[in-house]
Amino acid sequence: MLEFVINSNAHLNQIIILSFNGEILSSIEHTDYHWLMFYPCVYMFGMWDAYKDGGETSPYAYLPYVVGAFFGTVGLIYSERLTIFGILLGPVWMPMLFAFLGIGLGIAIFKLLNKQMTF
């Protein structure tokens, strides 16, 4: 229910359509950033909750999800002005890119911590 409320108030479907059609500036104009800021955290929490409910988890198994949510939110914050190789990615692609980087970093930290625990 929360994801539906956030999606509706942030105009997420509209900005996804605009972003997929290459209309990044228009997607930025249609975005309600106050609502969209919640989305990465709610989405990653849903993924972690599904993973956790799947069975026993390792210590620190939440780290990729937490770091991914944090990086996704930071990517969203900078999405209207940060360019990569001169390309403005906007409020859909920038948070995705940052979230993937955060998940990768979270996995690395998770593996490092679990490796240290085995000694």
Side-chain angles (χ1 to χ4, degrees), residues 6-67:
I6 293 168
N7 187 317
S8 296
N9 287 309
H11 313 290
L12 184 58
N13 291 343
Q14 180 70 28
I15 65 172
I16 289 172
I17 291 169
L18 292 168
S19 293
F20 273 56
N21 286 309
E23 300 176 33
I24 302 301
L25 293 176
S26 185
S27 71
I28 291 170
E29 290 173 8
H30 284 85
T31 303
D32 186 336
Y33 285 91
H34 294 106
W35 277 100
L36 196 56
M37 293 280 292
F38 290 109
Y39 199 82
C41 295
V42 170
Y43 187 79
M44 287 295 185
F45 174 78
M47 289 176 52
W48 171 78
D49 189 48
Y51 172 76
K52 179 183 61 84
D53 286 348
E56 215 172 298
T57 60
S58 302
Y60 307 111
Y62 59 87
L63 280 173
Y65 302 99
V66 171
V67 179

